[in-house]
Amino acid sequence: RDGQQQQIDKVTQEQRVEVFDAIVRTGVDRVEIGHLGNPVDQDFAHRLVGHIAEQEKTDELYKNVQLQVLFGSQPELIEAGSQVLVGAFQEFYPDNWQEEMQKRVVVHVYDRIDGSLRQASSEAYTMEQSAARVVEAAMLARDKGIVNFSISGEAATTASPEEAIQFYRYITAWLVNTGADSVNVNLANTYGFSPNEVWNAGTLTIFNEAIKHGLDDKVTTSIHAHNDVNSANDFTWSAIVAGFDR
């Protein structure tokens, strides 16, 4: 991430581009650039596509950079944000915009796994409905030509490994079977700990293997650990040892 999810201080687009360039120079080839449900990040995404198109003319590092963009599962937001991406690639890559967009864009869609978060919604819904919402939103991006996805369930480690596997497998199977080139499954330890105390190196290994079973060439796994109780490093290392890809 570029660190601008909170936007506590005023940071200009020029400064965000400088941060992006610094990240690219380290060799990182996938950068989450913002939440395209808001106009500030939509403008930034448009500018960044143009920046990459110009930079790759003289710098090989930019030829393989992927932009990951974040969406909640609200259809109207993903429709608007996806169209911004289409417009940007049509403008800056007029001869092969579809190919470039498919290669460069990863759309990350999330909804809620944790029951308390789902119940806090204006209208409570089930975990199964949450998974269906992610699928519906991702398919809107798919209809725009997006083929690379990342998915997550907010506070996934509040659920049991079995429940989390069911949630993610439903989504990954749907996306792979409808033409996705890749799906990254992001296990979100949103609260910085596992309230049910069943997530450890062993259950993370089971989760990783179950998620990828039969889909190894299309599905990767990643960990997203908050550090509320100073556990992010340990939890992340456990996931890497368990076979998570990033």
Side-chain angles (χ1 to χ4, degrees):
R1 292 185 174 188
D2 72 355
Q4 276 298 290
Q5 279 66 31
Q6 298 296 332
Q7 296 189 352
I8 296 171
D9 299 314
K10 178 66 175 177
V11 178
T12 66
Q13 286 198 5
E14 289 77 12
Q15 289 171 318
R16 291 182 74 176
V17 170
E18 288 179 11
V19 171
F20 178 82
D21 287 338
I23 294 172
V24 171
R25 285 196 297 272
T26 70
V28 171
D29 60 4
R30 180 186 292 188
V31 184
E32 184 176 287
I33 62 168
H35 195 304
L36 292 205
N38 72 75
V40 173
D41 284 351
Q42 289 174 2
D43 289 344
F44 180 58
H46 182 273
R47 175 172 183 161
L48 208 51
V49 172
H51 178 69
I52 291 171
E54 187 62 30
Q55 291 297 113
E56 70 172 345
K57 294 175 182 177
T58 57
D59 192 334
E60 290 288 325
L61 284 175
Y62 288 82
K63 290 186 180 297
N64 296 312
V65 170
Q66 287 187 308
L67 305 178
Q68 180 161 301
V69 295
L70 188 66
F71 289 104
S73 62
Q74 300 96 321
E76 66 278 7
L77 298 184
I78 202 163
E79 280 274 12
S82 297
Q83 190 56 48
V84 168
L85 293 170
V86 169
F89 278 91
Q90 286 177 334
E91 178 178 347
F92 296 112
Y93 294 93
D95 297 330
N96 59 339
W97 71 269
Q98 290 175 307
E99 178 184 345
E100 287 293 331
M101 187 176 71
Q102 289 177 351
K103 179 178 75 173
R104 291 189 181 276
V105 174
V106 180
V107 165
H108 181 99
V109 184
Y110 69 92
D111 204 280
R112 299 166 173 176
I113 283 185
D114 180 27
S116 61
L117 293 177
R118 288 185 282 102
Q119 297 304 311
S121 176
S122 58
E123 186 173 329
Y125 56 98
T126 66
M127 191 183 301
E128 291 76 16
Q129 289 172 316
S130 177
R133 287 165 62 149
V134 173
V135 168
E136 180 184 356
M139 293 307 295
L140 292 174
R142 179 70 186 89
D143 291 343
K144 298 288 187 183
I146 304 297
V147 294
N148 295 302
F149 294 91
S150 181
I151 57 172
S152 65
E154 212 170 357
T157 54
T158 61
S160 70
E162 293 79 10
E163 290 172 321
I165 289 167
Q166 185 176 16
F167 174 88
Y168 284 109
R169 283 289 298 193
Y170 174 84
I171 301 168
T172 53
W174 192 283
L175 292 177
V176 169
N177 290 336
T178 53
D181 284 352
S182 69
V183 182
N184 178 64
V185 168
N186 181 258
L187 182 67
N189 187 0
T190 307
Y191 299 142
F193 69 103
S194 176
N196 54 31
E197 299 183 351
V198 297
W199 288 96
N200 51 49
T203 50
L204 286 167
T205 299
I206 293 170
F207 176 87
N208 180 66
E209 293 178 354
I211 289 298
K212 295 176 178 176
H213 180 70
L215 302 169
D216 283 352
D217 61 332
K218 298 253 184 177
V219 175
T220 57
T221 48
S222 64
I223 192 70
H224 178 91
H226 287 208
N227 201 37
D228 301 57
V229 293
N230 200 32
S231 64
N233 284 342
D234 288 344
F235 199 81
T236 299
W237 277 115
S238 294
I240 297 301
V241 170
F244 280 52
D245 299 287
R246 56 174 69 88

